[in-house]
Amino acid sequence: MAIREKLRLGDVLIQAGAIDQDQLGKALAYQKQNGGQLGEILIKMRFISEERMLSNLAAQLRIPFLDMQDVKIEAEAVTKVNQAVAERHNLMPIAIKDGLLHIAMANPLNIFAIDEVTIQSGMDVETAVASQEDIDRAIQEHYGVAASINAAMKSLGALDVKKEESQAALEGETAPALEEGTADTPVAKLVEMVLKQALDDGASDIHIEPEEGDLAIRYRIDGVLFKATSPPKGVESALISRIKVLANMDISETRAPQDGGFSAKLGGKEIELRVSTCPTIYGENVVLRILDKSKLNVDLKDSGLMGSSLEKFSTLLNKPYGVILVTGPTGSGKTTTLYGSLSAINDDRKNIKTIEDPVEYRLPGIRQTQVNSKAGVTFATGLRSLMRQDPDIIMVGEIRDGETSEIAIQAALTGHLVLSTLHTNDTAGAISRLSDLGVEPFLLASSIVGVLAQRLVRKICKTCKISYEPDRSEVAQLYPRGTDKKITLFKGEGCKACKRSGYAGRMGVFEVLVITDEIRELILKEAAPMTIRQIAQKTQGLKTIRQDALSKVLGGYTTIEEVNRVTFA
């Protein structure tokens, strides 16, 4: 211990030859001006990698350098240090041996942390070195919600729940609502903990995926799937049956797909969940879509619509009548854009009606209707009914067939503003898609006033955002014709706040096509989408989705890697 008290990180790394005095001086100057941990600054300034820094620390201090994936953490050791101390000092208790508490630390020179652990645990401490990422992962797994998930799974395993027993028990449950304290069975706790973890991580979807000898739970965070945990195969039937009961599904039916949903109050938040099951060769696959009302962003300015694109789309929304289409693949934020559009034009002088499948969020002042196929309410029949409700503006959740498209266009031609979504890759493709559904070109030309296409890209994490000089291939993507400009781009290094991904949150990238007289002539001539796009680029300066995305790279919002993930070059 005495040796560690005399050493400082900079001294240790210089003695090891890992950095030189000049590099240390620059890092200390940066630390004096901006604050922060010296080790993180040295890594940020690229004077040393984290792995080399930690291995040198371990060698100089003569303590182990651990790969936490190879370490079996003892539950008794975890109880000796509370979560707040572990997170504050970035350390993880791992074992108790010979009366000593062994802990892994990202900074083993932090004497204050060692003293605090010694006092709290009442034990002498032995330290080891591990990466900050490994320790963060271990804290997540062994403390808090994730620990509760593991405890619930162990309880289920101890009970040795069989499929028949779990179904019989679940069939006896009377309240499908999920509220804290309503059920204290292990399976109920497991479902609750899985939902809490998803909310804490900011997930939009939960995937429960049976495998041959395992069960995987994955969360979709900012559009990308991450593996959360792997419960034992033995809890599969109990877990899925519990979710099906909550969603008012038939738990005895495992061979056919089912859809359902339920509401939950967790952590002070009210959320709604849409549940879908689908049989696979290894069992029922379950996907839960989380609709968190607190996360609904209905301000178009915050969605990513900027500059001329925002101006063009705002002009379209102020049209007295016509069809405005929002296009893109599933999960690209189309419905959120529609909600933002309705909020932007909503006032007491207008009667706004919607027909949706399902109604994802409640909007004040707007009359919303949900599709109900069993009751005979489809998009087409619902839209016909809305036409008799004296609407000014109608929002149709999705145009799926020729009948719905024809009614929507007739509504526009009779003086209504109609907003809807369509599954196409770009704006010009929406015209040919409606033509494929059987709508005549002259009706398309006279009714559609504009089309917006969109995707979602992940935003760079503000906490770990750094600048860098792009290489030639990146410059070529930004400026295909070349440039002499000095370009600075940004990326996320990966930190605790963004779970080491380098990204936090998402924003839209857009393409706005205004239907002008030139475009109407092309529609009447049944011109190809490529021709419509080229004319729009020449006459109205149409910016494609990729061009808009690359402009957001230059603006420091996202990265080229992310743009390439969601758009074609």
Side-chain angles (χ1 to χ4, degrees):
M1 185 70 69
I3 296 176
R4 283 200 284 269
E5 288 177 358
K6 295 178 181 178
L7 289 176
R8 293 177 297 180
L9 178 61
D11 297 332
V12 171
L13 295 179
I14 285 178
Q15 288 174 16
I19 61 172
D20 58 37
Q21 195 67 48
D22 181 56
Q23 290 172 325
L24 177 59
K26 290 178 180 178
L28 289 172
Y30 182 94
Q31 183 185 44
K32 185 176 181 180
Q33 184 175 355
N34 301 288
Q37 298 292 324
L38 179 61
E40 293 179 1
I41 292 169
L42 288 166
I43 295 168
K44 186 174 184 177
M45 297 179 79
R46 300 186 178 183
F47 292 153
I48 191 172
S49 67
E50 182 183 25
E51 184 177 358
R52 188 181 178 197
M53 181 180 73
L54 294 178
S55 62
N56 276 282
L57 261 177
Q60 289 292 309
L61 298 175
R62 298 180 182 178
I63 60 177
F65 176 28
L66 303 177
D67 181 344
M68 295 294 285
Q69 294 182 352
D70 299 330
V71 176
K72 185 175 181 180
I73 295 175
E74 296 177 3
E76 186 182 357
V78 176
T79 63
K80 296 295 183 181
V81 181
N82 66 39
Q83 184 176 354
V85 171
E87 289 180 340
R88 182 164 62 249
H89 298 300
N90 201 234
L91 58 86
M92 185 68 211
I94 54 178
I96 297 175
K97 294 179 182 178
D98 301 324
L100 298 175
L101 177 63
H102 291 252
I103 63 173
M105 306 179 69
N107 179 14
L109 298 174
N110 187 344
I111 304 305
F112 299 106
I114 296 172
D115 288 345
E116 188 168 355
V117 170
T118 301
I119 294 169
Q120 187 176 98
S121 65
M123 303 178 70
D124 288 333
V125 172
E126 281 290 324
T127 60
V129 181
S131 73
Q132 186 170 323
E133 183 178 357
D134 277 359
I135 292 175
D136 285 345
R137 191 183 298 112
I139 291 172
Q140 179 71 16
E141 183 178 347
H142 292 275
Y143 288 102
V145 175
S148 298
I149 291 176
N150 291 334
M153 290 191 300
K154 286 178 182 177
S155 298
L156 276 171
L159 291 174
D160 192 23
V161 179
K162 298 289 190 296
K163 182 176 181 179
E164 294 80 6
E165 295 170 345
S166 67
Q167 286 187 347
L170 287 163
E171 285 170 350
E173 295 188 32
T174 56
L178 177 71
E179 295 183 8
E180 295 177 39
T182 58
D184 57 1
T185 61
V187 67
K189 288 181 178 179
L190 176 57
V191 172
E192 186 177 333
M193 290 305 107
V194 167
L195 293 178
K196 279 185 176 180
Q197 183 70 66
L199 279 178
D200 288 348
D201 289 349
S204 61
D205 300 86
I206 303 170
H207 290 242
I208 300 173
E209 301 167 328
E211 297 173 359
E212 186 173 9
D214 201 358
L215 180 67
I217 296 179
R218 296 195 293 169
Y219 297 152
R220 187 176 293 280
I221 302 171
D222 292 336
V224 178
L225 282 169
F226 294 92
K227 192 165 186 178
T229 186
S230 296
K233 186 74 171 176
V235 308
E236 178 185 315
S237 61
L239 174 62
I240 293 175
S241 293
R242 170 66 180 172
I243 291 170
K244 290 170 75 172
V245 166
L246 291 169
N248 290 313
M249 295 177 176
D250 183 357
I251 63 173
S252 64
E253 178 57 76
T254 60
R255 296 172 296 177
Q258 295 187 64
D259 293 300
F262 62 96
S263 299
K265 187 174 182 180
L266 293 167
K269 287 185 178 181
E270 292 217 9
I271 61 171
E272 291 186 13
L273 296 107
R274 283 159 42 190
V275 183
S276 171
T277 67
C278 184
T280 71
I281 59 174
Y282 296 127
E284 284 187 282
N285 199 88
V286 181
V287 177
L288 297 89
R289 166 64 60 89
I290 301 172
L291 303 176
D292 184 355
K293 297 175 184 178
S294 66
K295 285 190 172 182
L296 177 62
N297 173 23
V298 293
D299 192 338
L300 289 176
K301 292 180 182 178
D302 296 331
S303 68
L305 265 173
M306 301 175 180
S308 62
S309 295
L310 178 59
E311 291 175 12
K312 288 178 182 178
F313 193 65
S314 298
T315 301
L316 292 175
L317 292 176
N318 288 315
K319 297 281 187 182
Y321 57 86
V323 176
I324 299 173
L325 297 171
V326 178
T327 76
T330 301
S332 60
K334 300 187 297 298
T335 302
T336 302
T337 297
L338 284 183
Y339 283 155
S341 301
L342 293 180
S343 296
I345 57 181
N346 185 24
D347 65 47
D348 293 338
R349 296 170 298 174
K350 296 174 182 175
N351 183 15
I352 302 178
K353 303 280 189 178
T354 77
I355 176 76
E356 307 172 54
D357 183 22
V359 175
E360 294 191 3
Y361 298 99
R362 276 64 170 172
L363 299 176
I366 295 174
R367 312 298 178 259
Q368 297 171 268
T369 302
Q370 182 158 312
V371 166
N372 185 343
S373 300
K374 292 180 180 178
V377 182
T378 64
F379 278 119
T381 59
L383 186 51
R384 279 200 185 93
S385 298
L386 294 185
M387 289 288 290
R388 295 190 288 270
Q389 292 283 309
D390 186 32
D392 296 300
I393 300 167
I394 300 173
M395 190 266 270
V396 183
E398 183 183 346
I399 291 178
R400 297 176 179 174
D401 52 53
E403 185 181 8
T404 306
S405 61
E406 287 180 7
I407 299 170
I409 285 173
Q410 289 298 328
L413 293 175
T414 53
H416 303 88
L417 183 65
V418 180
L419 286 73
S420 190
T421 69
L422 201 62
H423 284 162
T424 61
N425 289 324
D426 57 19
T427 53
I431 308 299
S432 60
R433 173 62 179 150
L434 288 175
S435 181
D436 291 341
L437 291 175
V439 183
E440 295 292 338
F442 74 92
L443 290 175
L444 295 174
S446 56
S447 62
I448 299 177
V449 295
V451 185
L452 178 143
Q454 69 178 80
R455 301 288 189 280
L456 291 175
V457 295
R458 291 180 293 173
K459 295 190 292 185
I460 298 169
C461 174
K462 294 180 180 179
T463 305
C464 60
K465 184 176 181 179
I466 61 167
S467 62
Y468 74 98
E469 187 176 331
D471 58 31
R472 290 182 180 179
S473 65
E474 291 176 314
V475 173
Q477 291 184 67
L478 292 164
Y479 296 96
R481 297 180 182 178
T483 181
D484 294 328
K485 296 179 182 178
K486 183 179 179 181
I487 303 170
T488 299
L489 299 183
F490 298 86
K491 63 181 179 180
E493 282 192 306
C495 64
K496 188 174 182 179
C498 64
K499 299 187 182 300
R500 307 293 169 189
S501 68
Y503 299 97
R506 289 189 290 176
M507 70 186 307
V509 290
F510 302 92
E511 175 180 312
V512 182
L513 173 66
V514 178
I515 306 301
T516 60
D517 290 339
E518 293 93 339
I519 303 299
R520 288 191 180 91
E521 288 182 13
L522 293 173
I523 294 173
L524 289 170
K525 294 176 182 177
E526 300 185 50
M530 184 179 294
T531 303
I532 293 175
R533 187 189 309 112
Q534 289 173 345
I535 296 299
Q537 287 175 317
K538 290 180 182 179
T539 60
Q540 59 184 263
L542 179 140
K543 183 188 289 185
T544 66
I545 288 176
R546 183 170 178 83
Q547 288 171 335
D548 185 49
L550 290 174
S551 71
K552 289 180 167 84
V553 172
L554 290 169
Y557 297 103
T558 189
T559 66
I560 287 181
E561 178 186 26
E562 180 66 6
V563 170
N564 289 335
R565 186 180 69 86
V566 299
T567 68
F568 285 111

